[in-house]
Amino acid sequence: MTNLFVLQLLNGVQLGVLLFLISAGLTLVFGIMDVINLAHGVLYMVGAYLIATFAAATGSFWWGLLLTLPAAVVVGLVIEAVVMRRLYARSHLDQVLATFGLVMMANEAVKMIWGTSPLSVPMPEILSGSVPLMGPLKYPVYRIAIIVAGLAVALGLFVMVNYTRVGMLLRAGASNRDTVSALGVDINRLFAIVFTLGATLACLAGALVAPILSVDTGMGESVLILTFVVVVIGGIGSIKGAFLGALLVAVVDTVGGVFGPILLRSVLDPSAAGQAGRVLAPMLVYILMAVILFARPAGLFGKTA
């Protein structure tokens, strides 16, 4: 039982760092730009397809990852200039409709370019295999590498947000973007930086997960809902909140999905416990969100009105 708990806890942390990479950009886009972007999951999907393409063309995962990052920057700049810039002054309803349309267009474009069959990305040989943790328990090296890479990016974002001029503008924009604009800051340039940073992080998450998941057109939608839950729990505009919220959501979702039915067996018969567990497990993250919002309506680190 202990080994199972440790295994699921590690899986939760690994999912958490991926959710953080996606939600960090989304929370900045929403907090600073006041834009609801339903197409953020598309960027995660695009990152996976980009690395699948570049890795196949170069024969190397590392070259594929190296080429994916500048390509992600270009994708972010193009989407911001062509689509998002026209939505800044529009209502949230217009933003939802426009970005939902972008999701549909992107999915169809992916099908036309890459087809409908799932793609796979070979795992780098140096990161294949498993390492022993405790007793007979082993854990894949690549998943550990994802955790390390996610924590490194989180540390880099923390340094950037707290100790650089760009970070100062991001924090000021999240608190009061009208004042930042009045002080002479080029708000359109700031918005372009924010959106491109978020797009690059989402593409990086898709690229990192590609070797352990199949790359297909539905992968973006599967994480988008959890990403919005992370943003709400952590507090809109807060990188620190996105990090803590991502870990909370991922660990509750992963550990709760496995141990929920096991705990229910102590009060219900096995068949009823299994059925109840399957029903209750997907609800755990939303129960967590409700509890946190009841105690802190603005989220863990959100700005109170």
Side-chain angles (χ1 to χ4, degrees):
M1 186 69 73
T2 302
N3 286 350
L4 179 61
F5 176 78
V6 172
L7 181 63
Q8 295 306 318
L9 184 63
L10 287 172
N11 286 338
V13 173
Q14 180 245 301
L15 175 60
V17 297
L18 289 173
L19 286 178
F20 167 70
L21 291 176
I22 306 170
S23 61
L26 186 61
T27 194
L28 287 177
V29 167
F30 197 8
I32 297 175
M33 300 163 61
D34 195 30
V35 172
I36 300 176
N37 180 20
L38 294 185
H40 202 70
V42 165
L43 298 167
Y44 169 78
M45 174 187 68
V46 167
Y49 273 99
L50 286 175
I51 195 170
T53 301
F54 292 137
T58 62
S60 167
F61 170 85
W62 301 111
W63 277 110
L65 182 61
L66 195 62
L67 292 172
T68 295
L69 295 179
V73 172
V74 173
V75 170
L77 288 172
V78 170
I79 293 178
E80 193 277 334
V82 175
V83 180
M84 306 307 295
R85 193 170 296 178
R86 290 160 174 75
L87 299 176
Y88 295 153
R90 306 294 290 268
S91 68
H92 285 165
L93 178 59
D94 289 342
Q95 294 166 3
V96 168
L97 292 174
T99 53
F100 180 72
L102 183 59
V103 171
M104 299 175 66
M105 292 172 60
N107 284 336
E108 292 304 314
V110 165
K111 291 177 183 177
M112 288 189 291
I113 296 171
W114 285 283
T116 57
S117 300
L119 303 181
S120 61
V121 177
M123 189 174 296
E125 186 176 350
I126 193 173
L127 297 179
S128 60
S130 302
V131 294
L133 294 180
M134 47 186 292
L137 180 64
K138 293 184 178 182
Y139 199 70
V141 175
Y142 187 78
R143 290 180 180 267
I144 295 176
I146 290 178
I147 294 174
V148 173
L151 293 177
V153 171
L155 179 61
L157 280 175
F158 175 80
V159 172
M160 186 198 73
V161 169
N162 290 281
Y163 298 104
T164 66
R165 185 175 185 276
V166 172
M168 178 190 69
L169 294 176
L170 293 180
R171 285 183 284 119
S175 299
N176 195 325
R177 62 178 182 152
D178 293 332
T179 300
V180 173
S181 181
L183 290 174
V185 175
D186 187 346
I187 203 71
N188 287 330
R189 183 182 178 188
L190 178 62
F191 283 2
I193 292 173
V194 170
F195 187 85
T196 303
L197 175 62
T200 303
L201 292 174
C203 286
L204 175 61
L208 290 177
V209 82
I212 57 177
L213 294 179
S214 63
V215 179
D216 59 64
T217 54
M219 61 186 301
E221 287 80 356
S222 62
V223 299
L224 183 63
I225 300 300
L226 282 181
T227 303
F228 272 108
V229 172
V230 167
V231 170
V232 171
I233 286 177
I236 294 171
S238 171
I239 292 292
K240 179 168 60 174
F243 181 73
L244 183 57
L247 290 180
L248 282 173
V249 167
V251 170
V252 167
D253 184 57
T254 305
V255 175
V258 173
F259 282 90
I262 295 175
L263 294 176
L264 287 174
R265 288 191 192 121
S266 61
V267 293
L268 298 172
D269 64 83
S271 61
Q275 183 176 3
R278 286 190 296 271
V279 173
L280 291 175
M283 298 170 56
L284 291 177
V285 292
Y286 304 105
I287 295 172
L288 172 68
M289 180 175 67
V291 170
I292 290 176
L293 292 182
F294 179 79
R296 299 183 65 87
L300 294 174
F301 298 98
K303 182 186 69 172
T304 56

